[in-house]
Amino acid sequence: MAERDELYAINLGRVDFTPGDFDKFVYQHGAKALWERSMLCSCISESSGQPDFTCPNCDGKGFSYDEGKVIKALINNADGKKDSVPVGLLDVGTTLATISSEFRVGFRDRLLFPDMRTVYSQVLTYKGNPAGERLKYYCAEMQQVRVLDTKIPEDKYEVNGSRIIFKEDAGIQVGERFSVLMYTIPSYIVIDIPHELRGTFVKMGRVTDTWEELPKQYMIKREDLLPATRGGNLLETD
Ligand SMILES: [Zn+2]
């Protein structure tokens, strides 16, 4: 008891961060995220240091993603309310995510938000593939398919994961270009870890100060807005 009183006296007036509470806050208020870790691909040549552009694993990117783990990520508004990031300082499609330090999220890792939807539009060439034409991203809901200004009726095609399969009477010719407007799952890539070494000494109620890591903040950017990203294998279903 005497020791406790002494500690109480030492700690009086001291405001410690409580890492457990931060983690709890992120867990309770964060969005569900599928965290895929990026890893260099073994196709990278020892002599040139370049990836194999025909590599089936990484698609020539030089790195691939693991199967992913479901975590919670607190997305901070880029309007400056939460983290005083001045408006206009951030690039389009860039935001901050706060994640428990329990998860060692790395540079280039991918975060997918399965409960959210984002709009995506793409132009493709109809190749007449019986398995369907491959969309760049997983299609959660197709909105419109058009050839120039002609809308292809909804009952003239089917969407399966990231493939669109046209019916024979869809009125589209092999070699013809078509555009799609769809909802997909937002996919973000970690582009910076501004506070990698974020932590605090915790003294309250303990004999010695203990270093505790705080949840980390990550700068993330929409994958489709990143330059030189292929990303074609996102949530492929086949
Ligand atoms: Zn590879």
Side-chain angles (χ1 to χ4, degrees), residues 25 31 165:
F25 187 82
I165 305 133

Side-chain angles (χ1 to χ4, degrees), residues 40-44 51-52 54-64:
L40 290 176
C41 182
S42 59
C43 75
I44 292 175
D52 173 358
T54 64
C55 176
N57 179 43
C58 73
D59 212 11
K61 288 193 297 282
F63 58 91
S64 61

Side-chain angles (χ1 to χ4, degrees), residues 142-147 149-159 164-172 178-180:
M142 186 58 79
Q143 297 298 299
Q144 286 184 39
V145 181
R146 284 177 190 260
V147 174
D149 65 340
T150 306
K151 194 168 166 182
I152 297 183
E154 279 171 42
D155 59 353
K156 300 295 179 194
Y157 58 83
E158 274 172 30
V159 174
I164 178 164
I165 305 133
F166 289 99
K167 305 235 167 101
E168 275 182 22
D169 59 349
I172 184 166
F178 66 99
S179 60
V180 300

Side-chain angles (χ1 to χ4, degrees), residues 24 29 46 91 98 132 139 150 157 167 178 223:
K24 212 185 283 174
H29 299 273
E46 191 179 6
D91 279 348
T98 305
C139 176
T150 306
Y157 58 83
K167 305 235 167 101
F178 66 99
E223 187 175 14

Side-chain angles (χ1 to χ4, degrees), residues 87-158:
V87 177
L89 229 173
L90 290 175
D91 279 348
V92 173
T94 304
T95 190
L96 294 164
T98 305
I99 297 167
S100 167
S101 63
E102 176 193 346
F103 308 113
R104 306 278 168 189
V105 176
F107 178 63
R108 250 190 346 233
D109 284 4
R110 184 192 270 153
L111 293 170
L112 294 152
F113 297 92
D115 294 339
M116 301 185 197
R117 296 288 178 263
T118 189
V119 179
Y120 185 73
S121 181
Q122 185 190 356
V123 184
L124 296 98
T125 300
Y126 179 59
K127 291 176 185 148
N129 185 348
E133 310 306 330
R134 188 167 129 172
L135 301 161
K136 188 171 178 185
Y137 293 103
Y138 169 83
C139 176
E141 202 182 308
M142 186 58 79
Q143 297 298 299
Q144 286 184 39
V145 181
R146 284 177 190 260
V147 174
L148 297 179
D149 65 340
T150 306
K151 194 168 166 182
I152 297 183
E154 279 171 42
D155 59 353
K156 300 295 179 194
Y157 58 83
E158 274 172 30

Side-chain angles (χ1 to χ4, degrees), residues 176-204:
E176 207 165 17
R177 301 273 279 164
F178 66 99
S179 60
V180 300
L181 180 66
M182 65 184 199
Y183 293 161
T184 184
I185 292 169
S187 173
Y188 283 79
I189 301 292
V190 174
I191 57 167
D192 195 14
I193 309 174
H195 309 291
E196 167 106 69
L197 306 176
R198 210 179 186 207
T200 183
F201 278 107
V202 178
K203 192 165 189 165
M204 188 68 85

